[in-house]
Amino acid sequence: MTDSNIKKERIKKKVILLIFIALTVISFFISIGNGAVKVHPKEIINAVFFEKSTVNYQIIWNVRLPRTIVAALVGTCLALSGAILQGVMRNPLAAPNIIGVSSGAGLMTLLILILFPDFYYLAPIGAFIGALLATLFIYFLAWKEGVVPTRLILAGVAVSSLLGAGTNALMTFYPNKVAGVIGFMVGGLSSTTWQQVKIIFPYAAIGIFLILLIPNKLNILMMGDEVATSLGLNVERTRFAFIIISSLLAGSAVSVVGLLGFVGLIVPHMTRLFIGSDYRYLLPAVIFTGATVVMLCDTLARVMFAPMEIPVGIIMSALGAPFFLYLLRRKKEY
């Protein structure tokens, strides 16, 4: 490829990234403006900046805005986590919910919420530890002179099943607290407040900052261990660093929204269709596409059966399951 073509390709990817940013902004206003009460964009601006004593202000500031911010952060974290796992494990089917990472985070979060409810603010830390341990355990089980994609998926399914048994045991032993965690098991944003924003934001910001520092190393890692080593990359140390960041992102998302599935699977692949597999562009793009997808799905969950709403996890599963089957059919080697 000539220098001129390379330059044109870079400009094209930057334009696509700007389009993704614009779609995220539009989705943000759609999410804030729609629900049981519809608020037009002009009214949103007036309510937030000028007319702070109105009913619209209370709806937007106390209900819609924190929910939309959390939806955007959760979408970003899960999508980034999925993109990282797909790169580190060189497996297009790798995602936090598919290989059991979300299950590890979910089990640890439930342990805190059910057994130690007064320490709910430690849920992101517990979720991070659970996600990290689950990821390392899966990787350990799948390793045999390298990681084979099929073995990785099978190990993930087995670990996810084991962790699911632990979750079901908790719900069986503490039936009086089951009602409070149903939304967590499905993945929902209905009770989101500014408290959830304060919980997820620091962890999400740290994870996003760290991953944007080292996209080139993920590109090198995608070439295979032998090539990466020949280029001077410490493969195991780099892979472990990416696993930690992925676990932090997935854990922080699960700790506030619950077991929201398929975001980490479908968003990175959707983004690749437009911007390619170069992680220098893919990771920034995934930040915005992940936020956009979850915000729009949450909006759909609110308005589809208004005034009643359904958990956003149901919408994501309805979209993600067919996409997962499509990937299975498309990738003949699986």
Side-chain angles (χ1 to χ4, degrees), residues 24-309:
T24 302
V25 174
I26 293 170
S27 301
F28 183 82
F29 280 97
I30 291 175
S31 178
I32 292 178
N34 289 275
V37 177
K38 189 169 184 178
V39 185
H40 294 286
K42 185 178 180 180
E43 295 174 329
I44 293 173
I45 295 173
N46 287 334
V48 172
F49 295 104
F50 304 108
E51 302 171 0
K52 297 189 176 182
S53 59
T54 63
V55 174
N56 283 342
Y57 174 81
Q58 297 298 326
I59 293 173
I60 293 167
W61 187 259
N62 295 323
V63 180
R64 300 270 177 85
L65 191 56
R67 179 168 180 164
T68 299
I69 291 173
V70 169
L73 290 174
V74 164
T76 295
C77 289
L78 290 176
L80 278 175
S81 179
I84 294 167
L85 289 174
Q86 288 162 14
V88 169
M89 299 182 175
R90 299 196 298 276
N91 187 336
L93 301 181
N97 68 303
I98 299 296
I99 66 171
V101 178
S102 292
S103 297
L107 178 58
M108 290 297 289
T109 302
L110 280 179
L111 279 171
I112 293 172
L113 295 179
I114 291 178
L115 300 181
F116 310 101
D118 293 337
F119 297 95
Y120 68 92
Y121 55 87
L122 295 177
I125 297 175
F128 163 61
I129 294 172
L132 178 61
L133 292 176
T135 307
L136 293 176
F137 188 43
I138 292 163
Y139 200 83
F140 170 76
L141 291 176
W143 179 269
K144 187 178 180 182
E145 299 178 357
V147 174
V148 178
T150 303
R151 192 160 58 232
L152 182 67
I153 292 296
L154 292 175
V157 170
V159 172
S160 181
S161 178
L162 179 64
L163 295 171
T167 299
N168 291 332
L170 271 177
M171 298 176 69
T172 300
F173 291 134
Y174 298 91
N176 58 317
K177 298 183 179 180
V178 168
V181 298
I182 292 297
F184 179 90
M185 297 301 298
V186 179
L189 291 156
S190 60
S191 302
T192 303
T193 65
W194 285 107
Q195 186 64 40
Q196 278 73 35
V197 177
K198 293 177 182 177
I199 289 174
I200 189 176
F201 183 79
Y203 302 95
I206 292 171
I208 293 169
F209 174 75
L210 290 175
I211 197 60
L212 291 181
L213 289 177
I214 48 177
N216 283 329
K217 291 186 177 181
L218 197 50
N219 280 333
I220 295 173
L221 206 60
M222 283 286 291
M223 298 178 184
D225 290 2
E226 291 184 5
V227 176
T229 301
S230 68
L231 292 174
L233 187 69
N234 188 320
V235 173
E236 295 306 323
R237 184 183 300 173
T238 304
R239 183 178 285 119
F240 186 68
F242 279 118
I243 287 175
I244 290 176
I245 297 172
S246 174
S247 300
L248 176 65
L249 290 167
S252 62
V254 170
S255 68
V256 295
V257 76
L259 301 178
L260 181 59
F262 290 107
V263 180
L265 176 68
I266 66 174
V267 172
H269 286 292
M270 288 171 54
T271 309
R272 281 190 187 94
L273 294 175
F274 296 97
I275 210 163
S277 298
D278 186 342
Y279 276 90
R280 292 175 299 173
Y281 298 99
L282 179 63
L283 292 177
V286 159
I287 290 174
F288 298 103
T289 52
T292 298
V293 166
V294 176
M295 284 192 293
L296 290 179
C297 285
D298 182 52
T299 305
L300 185 62
R302 276 183 273 153
V303 303
M304 185 178 289
F305 300 105
M308 184 185 76
E309 66 176 63

Side-chain angles (χ1 to χ4, degrees), residues 311-326:
V312 65
I314 294 177
I315 301 294
M316 287 306 310
S317 295
L319 294 175
F323 193 85
F324 182 68
L325 294 174
Y326 162 75

